[in-house]
Amino acid sequence: DQPFRQIVQKYGDPDVIFTEFVNVEGLCHSIERLLLPLWFDDTQQPIAAQLYGKTPDFFRQCAILVSFLGFDGIDLNMGCPSKNVAGGGAGAGLIKNPKLAAEIIDAVKQGVQDWANGADLADCPDFSDKFIKAVKELRQKDNDSQTESQKRQPLPVSVKTRLGYEKSEVESWIPIILETRPAVLTIHGRT
C-alpha cells in the first residue's frame, strides 16, 4: 500500500515498485475504495499497477484507467493462490484457463494502445460518472508531473505467475504466456 511503498522507496531505493493487486471487476463496478491502492506520488516511480480478475474487457478498461493515472507499467497477477481469487478463476486460476489468460493479456495491450491513440476514461462504459470524477481527483493528488507525451505512451505489460496450479505445467503454461510477448514474466518457483 501507499505507506509501505513510501518506506520501501526511502530505505530500499528499488528499481521498480508494484502496487498491491487490484480487482478489475471491482473497478469496473465503480467501487471507489479500490482506487486507494492506485494512489502514488512521484517519489515512488517507476511504479506498475498490479491488476487481477477474469474479464478481458474490464482489463482493457482498467489499462486505460491506470494509464490515465500515470503509472509506468501494468503487471497482471496470474499467480495468486488464494481460494477467493484462484477459486473464482482469477490469479492462479488462470493457469487452468490459458486461453482466457492470453485474451486478458491481449486486452490489456489493446487498452494501453487505445490510451496511446487518444482513448480516455469516457471510453470505458463500465465506469460511472461519479467513479470517473473520483479517478480524476486521485490523479490530481500527487502524481501530476508527467507531460502529455509521457501520458500517451503505451505502458509495458508484465505477467506474474507460478510454475503451475497443483503440479508443474511449465511446458504447457509458460509458452502460452510467452506467445503474448509480455515485457516481463515473473515466475514464482512453486505451484
Side-chain angles (χ1 to χ4, degrees):
D1 61 8
Q2 169 76 346
F4 178 78
R5 291 191 310 261
Q6 286 179 328
I7 292 168
V8 168
Q9 183 63 40
K10 182 176 180 178
Y11 296 105
D13 194 28
D15 292 328
V16 66
I17 292 179
F18 296 87
T19 68
E20 57 191 301
F21 69 161
V22 182
N23 182 265
V24 298
E25 282 81 14
L27 288 170
C28 286
H29 286 102
S30 298
I31 300 173
E32 289 183 41
R33 68 178 164 75
L34 293 180
L35 291 173
L36 188 59
L38 298 177
W39 175 49
F40 67 95
D41 60 48
D42 292 339
T43 66
Q44 296 174 26
Q45 290 183 294
I47 186 168
Q50 190 177 94
L51 303 175
Y52 80 98
K54 60 182 179 183
T55 309
D57 192 56
F58 289 173
F59 273 98
R60 183 192 62 77
Q61 292 177 64
C62 288
I64 293 170
L65 174 122
V66 299
S67 295
F68 174 83
L69 288 173
F71 279 90
D72 301 298
I74 299 174
D75 187 56
L76 305 178
N77 185 312
M78 297 186 176
C80 179
S82 162
K83 285 183 182 181
N84 292 341
V85 175
L94 288 166
I95 297 170
K96 295 179 176 183
N97 193 346
K99 181 177 182 274
L100 179 58
E103 288 175 19
I104 287 169
I105 297 166
D106 290 342
V108 173
K109 287 183 169 191
Q110 183 62 56
V112 297
Q113 193 58 54
D114 290 349
W115 168 257
N117 293 335
D120 207 342
L121 297 174
D123 298 307
C124 301
D126 290 295
F127 297 151
S128 70
D129 291 341
K130 182 180 176 212
F131 184 78
I132 290 173
K133 183 180 178 194
V135 171
K136 289 180 178 181
E137 289 171 2
L138 180 68
R139 177 69 178 109
Q140 303 273 319
K141 235 178 188 178
D142 278 318
N143 56 344
D144 228 1
S145 66
Q146 292 182 325
T147 65
E148 183 62 27
S149 64
Q150 287 173 310
K151 291 179 186 177
R152 291 293 175 170
Q153 297 297 316
L155 302 180
V157 178
S158 60
V159 175
K160 179 178 103 172
T161 190
R162 294 172 176 266
L163 297 174
Y165 193 80
E166 294 177 328
K167 61 182 177 31
S168 179
E169 301 169 55
V170 172
E171 293 81 15
S172 58
W173 168 236
I174 300 305
I176 291 168
I177 299 301
L178 292 176
E179 284 176 16
T180 67
R181 303 181 60 84
V184 173
L185 175 61
T186 303
I187 301 175
H188 285 289
R190 60 184 184 225
T191 59

